């Protein structure tokens, strides 16, 4: 039976609860325990799949095809445990399940209420798979006191009450603001936040205090006394140069020890932190830097491409170089020459995206990379754009385009080299979709296998010909044009096992030009950089030596 750690936040949002949870997960693993991390989000969307990346950041996709919060990406990157559909839940999903049951008559005519029906639904969710791991870490999104978060707080309170004593603990993240004028760290917001938590029946066992300044002993004792936690359980969280220093930093500050103490686990197993020491060494001891352009649409919010940014960092770690990422808005050169915007970069990455806006610019970026011999990695939409570019500019199909843009515009304008996929095979079953289907959860989602061509660039990069990667898209490159494109040198070097769906394309006579229909960034880890990103950055290093 798992021990539960509930992680909440107070004072302000964006304190790094997700990172703290992920780092704690990795520290418990370093002590020999198995862990699973979960995110409970109070918003009413059923999942983040339909939320704008501008607003909510990237949608993280799991192997089993769930569209989840980007914090699940942190969890995976720090613990290596593949997240599941049942590791992310929102109020929307909880309510829709409660309402479904109500319509079905499952509640036998009872009045449906937040307590107990909604809270019970949350508790059932929390208990899924509790026998599988030593520790279950559950992060509650938002800040204590938010109206929509209340059912979650009530549910975790009840959950810990239902369990035997000592099986659940509460960890609360707060902020200690620094007043420069008086040179003081202020503890009052933390005290208020804990009071708020206590008023709903939750007494935190551990306080993680974000602070820009070292926390003096006096302040630490004051927080401990007024918030009713042990002094050793007041853990400092200082700003870090890299998020990958977090496990070592939290260990130094005693977080994992405080957690084991709170569960009265004694003697505590010794931690093995070699993985994180190596990660830190690779971040701090680099030799040179490369400049990579991410040519996308959602460039105002870096979180929109969170996993790509992290995977590039991992690629840098694999090569011991720093990767400087520049965000380039594709729309800027939709109708002009891209050269002034792209010259000087050692590699170009075109990420995933939806809708036609900015795609002409992305097509130009692919052309620029192909003609100049600059390493190019096209991900999902970035692969589709590379294929359209090849069809238009190399294979003489001036009108090549994607059906996605015609659907959006409501008129037929292009010869679709990328078409809307309506039926495909997943494992041993066939999945079917129609054009007018709901937007939520109706894409080709989750892990699919691909077979790579022996002797191809990608087979060399992956060091094998059988791979499995995560997908999230509606449209596919049409095999109808395969022969025509391959004749020109654009090889379809990765296909779905049934040979129907192109998964990877690569230019034969180019130093490094690869487009993939899936999202390799979702599986990259600091301690196991994804081979595509590691090799892409290696190619960028080579380019940097040429100029
Ligand atoms: N919009 C494209 C599709 O649905 C690409 C999706 C993506 O890049 N994730 O196929």
């Amino acid at each position: 039976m798992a021990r539960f750690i509930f992680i909440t936040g107070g004072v302000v949002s964006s304190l790094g609860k997700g990172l703290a949870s992920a780092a704690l997960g990795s520290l418990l693993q370093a002590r020999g325990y198995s862990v699973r991390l979960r995110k409970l989000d109070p918003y009413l969307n059923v999942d983040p799949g339909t939320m704008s990346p501008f607003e909510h950041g990237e949608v993280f996709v799991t192997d089993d095809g769930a569209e989840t919060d980007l914090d699940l990406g942190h969890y995976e990157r720090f613990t290596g445990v593949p997240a599941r559909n049942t590791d992310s839940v929102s109020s929307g999903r909880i309510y829709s399940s409660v309402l479904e049951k109500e319509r079905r008559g499952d509640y036998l005519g009872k009045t449906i209420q937040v307590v107990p029906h909604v809270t019970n639904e949350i508790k059932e969710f929390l208990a899924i798979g509790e026998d599988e791991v030593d520790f279950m870490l559950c992060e509650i999104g938002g800040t204590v006191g938010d109206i929509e978060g209340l059912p979650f707080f009530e549910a975790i309170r009840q959950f810990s009450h239902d369990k035997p004593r000592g099986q659940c603990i509460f960890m609360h993240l707060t902020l200690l603001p620094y007043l420069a004028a008086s040179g003081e760290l202020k503890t009052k917001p933390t005290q208020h936040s804990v009071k708020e938590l206590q008023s709903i029946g939750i007494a935190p066992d551990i306080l993680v205090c974000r602070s820009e300044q070292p926390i003096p002993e006096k302040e630490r004792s004051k927080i401990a006394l007024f918030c009713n936690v042990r002094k050793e359980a007041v853990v400092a969280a200082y700003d870090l140069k890299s998020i990958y220093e977090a496990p070592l930093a939290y260990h130094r500050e005693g977080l994992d020890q405080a957690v084991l103490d709170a569960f009265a686990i004694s003697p505590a197993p010794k931690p093995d932190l070699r993985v994180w020491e190596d990660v830190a060494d690779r971040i701090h001891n680099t030799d040179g830097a490369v400049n990579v352009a991410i040519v996308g649409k959602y460039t105002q919010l870096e979180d929109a491409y969170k996993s790509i940014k992290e995977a590039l960092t991992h690629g840098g770690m694999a090569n011991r170089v720093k990767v400087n990422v520049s965000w380039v808005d594709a729309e800027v050169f939709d109708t002009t020459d891209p050269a002034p915007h792209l010259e000087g970069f050692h590699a170009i990455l075109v990420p995933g995206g939806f809708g036609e806006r900015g795609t002409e610019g992305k097509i130009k970026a692919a052309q620029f990379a192909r003609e100049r011999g600059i390493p190019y990695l096209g991900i999902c939409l970035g692969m589709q754009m590379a294929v359209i570019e090849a069809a238009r500019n190399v294979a003489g199909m001036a009108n090549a385009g994607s059906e996605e843009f015609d659907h959006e515009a409501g008129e037929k304008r292009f010869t679709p080299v990328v078409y809307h996929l309506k039926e495909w095979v997943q494992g041993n079953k066939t999945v079917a979709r129609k054009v007018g289907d709901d937007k939520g959860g109706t894409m080709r989602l989750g892990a699919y296998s691909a077979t790579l061509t022996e002797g191809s660039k990608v087979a060399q990069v992956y060091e094998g010909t059988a791979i499995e990667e995560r997908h999230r898209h509606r449209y596919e490159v049409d095999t109808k044009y395969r022969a025509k494109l391959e004749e020109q040198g654009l090889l379809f070097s990765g296909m779905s096992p049934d040979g129907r769906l192109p998964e990877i394309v690569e230019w034969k006579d180019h130093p490094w030009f690869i487009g993939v229909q899936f999202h390799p960034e979702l599986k990259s880890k600091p301690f196991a950089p994804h081979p595509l990103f590691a090799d892409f950055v290696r190619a960028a290093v080579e380019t940097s030596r040429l100029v």
Side-chain angles (χ1 to χ4, degrees):
M1 190 70 76
R3 293 179 165 97
F4 283 80
I5 304 169
F6 293 108
I7 298 124
T8 59
V11 184
V12 293
S13 59
S14 308
L15 283 178
K17 270 194 314 252
L19 181 59
S21 309
L24 174 58
S26 71
L27 289 175
L28 291 169
Q29 285 179 318
R31 301 239 188 200
Y33 296 109
S34 60
V35 300
R36 179 161 288 285
L37 286 103
R38 284 208 166 132
K39 178 84 193 277
L40 294 87
D41 272 309
Y43 51 71
L44 282 170
N45 303 64
V46 172
D47 64 41
T50 53
M51 287 162 103
S52 163
F54 286 121
E55 234 179 80
H56 195 67
E58 141 188 300
V59 174
F60 189 81
V61 181
T62 59
D63 279 333
D64 59 4
E67 300 179 271
T68 70
D69 188 88
L70 54 77
D71 272 326
L72 270 76
H74 279 316
Y75 302 166
E76 278 202 24
R77 283 188 284 274
F78 280 82
T79 64
V81 178
R84 297 179 190 154
N85 181 17
T86 45
D87 293 331
S88 162
V89 79
S90 63
S91 293
R93 185 158 158 196
I94 292 286
Y95 275 96
S96 86
S97 158
V98 167
L99 294 177
E100 219 172 88
K101 288 184 184 170
E102 187 272 338
R103 291 289 83 186
R104 255 197 335 248
D106 289 7
Y107 297 116
L108 305 172
K110 285 258 182 297
T111 306
I112 313 305
Q113 294 177 301
V114 172
V115 182
H117 300 99
V118 170
T119 45
N120 281 352
E121 193 73 26
I122 298 171
K123 288 199 284 181
E124 271 172 40
F125 169 82
L126 289 170
I128 297 171
E130 62 178 334
D131 296 327
E132 292 172 21
V133 288
D134 299 322
F135 286 94
M136 195 80 94
L137 286 74
C138 306
E139 176 192 348
I140 316 293
T143 308
V144 60
D146 294 348
I147 291 177
E148 61 265 44
L150 277 173
F152 287 106
F153 283 88
E154 172 61 11
I156 59 173
R157 181 194 71 74
Q158 289 186 12
F159 190 90
S160 97
H161 180 80
D162 296 344
K163 291 283 179 203
R165 193 185 284 274
Q167 207 177 321
C168 302
I169 66 165
F170 296 92
M171 169 171 141
H172 190 57
L173 255 86
T174 74
L175 174 72
L176 301 184
Y178 178 71
L179 284 193
S182 57
E184 280 178 318
L185 278 177
K186 306 307 284 182
T187 66
K188 195 70 89 188
T190 297
Q191 294 178 43
H192 277 298
S193 174
V194 169
K195 215 179 247 172
E196 180 86 39
L197 208 52
Q198 283 168 339
S199 75
I200 48 183
I202 294 172
D205 300 281
I206 293 170
L207 289 177
V208 173
C209 303
R210 281 294 298 268
S211 171
E212 285 173 14
Q213 303 287 332
I215 307 176
E217 261 329 277
K218 200 172 109 243
E219 260 62 43
R220 207 182 281 261
S221 304
K222 189 165 153 191
I223 296 168
L225 183 64
F226 291 160
C227 297
N228 203 26
V229 300
R230 304 289 174 121
K231 202 169 129 202
E232 307 74 52
V234 179
V235 177
Y238 301 121
D239 295 347
L240 300 169
K241 277 229 315 274
S242 159
I243 56 170
Y244 298 117
E245 295 170 317
L248 294 180
Y250 274 124
H251 177 69
R252 257 194 322 271
E253 297 302 325
L255 177 63
D256 44 337
Q257 188 59 54
V259 165
L260 297 176
D261 288 347
F263 282 112
I265 295 174
S266 170
K270 290 241 165 321
D272 177 355
L273 296 164
R274 279 172 300 179
V275 168
W276 293 105
E277 281 155 7
D278 179 55
V279 164
D281 183 60
R282 285 174 180 276
I283 291 170
H284 295 302
N285 300 312
T286 51
D287 182 14
V290 291
N291 303 325
V292 178
I294 298 185
V295 181
K297 179 165 72 167
Y298 315 111
T299 45
Q300 301 99 311
L301 182 69
E302 292 194 10
D303 269 0
Y305 303 115
K306 183 79 192 154
S307 294
I308 290 184
K309 174 99 194 294
E310 296 310 321
L312 283 170
T313 303
H314 308 160
M317 289 159 66
N319 293 281
R320 285 200 184 265
V321 291
K322 187 167 180 314
V323 178
N324 298 320
V325 170
S326 300
W327 308 92
V328 179
D329 183 355
E331 229 181 329
V332 173
F333 45 82
D334 254 351
T335 56
T336 58
D337 181 12
H341 305 274
L342 298 179
E343 264 161 1
F345 287 111
H346 305 128
I348 293 172
L349 189 153
V350 176
F354 293 83
E356 187 171 6
R357 200 159 61 75
T359 51
E360 289 302 322
K362 291 176 190 176
I363 291 168
K364 283 189 180 160
Q367 181 180 10
F368 179 88
R370 173 177 60 79
E371 290 176 348
R372 304 259 186 132
I374 305 291
Y376 176 93
L377 176 57
I379 294 178
C380 208
L381 187 70
M383 165 190 179
Q384 298 172 355
M385 295 307 103
V387 172
I388 293 173
E389 192 279 317
R392 281 188 193 173
N393 303 325
V394 186
M397 298 174 62
N399 204 32
S402 169
E403 213 175 356
E404 178 174 8
F405 313 148
D406 280 350
H407 282 165
E408 199 180 35
E411 56 175 317
K412 205 168 158 12
R413 296 164 300 159
F414 293 115
T415 307
V417 295
V418 177
Y419 69 104
H420 188 200
L421 181 73
K422 313 234 178 32
E423 204 179 283
W424 64 92
V425 181
Q426 179 167 35
N428 50 15
K429 63 177 201 298
T430 304
V431 190
R433 303 268 194 259
K434 295 191 298 296
V435 176
D437 277 347
D438 284 355
K439 284 274 184 268
T442 54
M443 287 180 268
R444 183 151 89 95
L445 279 168
Y448 285 85
S449 331
T451 310
L452 314 185
T453 310
E454 206 95 48
S456 62
K457 178 103 186 162
V458 279
Q460 190 190 324
V461 170
Y462 274 96
E463 295 177 1
T465 55
I467 62 164
E468 196 180 84
E469 295 281 5
R470 295 182 193 168
H471 290 246
R472 180 173 185 252
H473 54 107
R474 287 192 181 82
Y475 297 84
E476 300 278 345
V477 171
D478 201 330
T479 46
K480 233 192 293 182
Y481 307 101
R482 179 174 181 174
K484 201 170 173 151
L485 289 165
E486 290 204 323
E487 232 167 74
Q488 301 299 326
L490 185 71
L491 306 181
F492 286 39
S493 53
M495 299 292 290
S496 60
D498 63 5
R500 284 175 58 203
L501 305 174
E503 293 278 10
I504 303 175
V505 298
E506 64 185 53
W507 276 109
K508 196 168 61 177
D509 300 315
H510 187 286
W512 210 101
F513 192 112
I514 294 174
V516 294
Q517 187 56 74
F518 45 81
H519 291 275
E521 71 275 18
L522 302 178
K523 285 181 40 170
S524 189
K525 322 233 158 39
F527 45 83
H530 191 287
L532 276 173
F533 281 89
D535 208 59
F536 178 58
V537 173
R538 186 198 54 72
V541 172
E542 258 167 46
T543 311
S544 74
R545 295 212 175 107
L546 297 175
V547 289

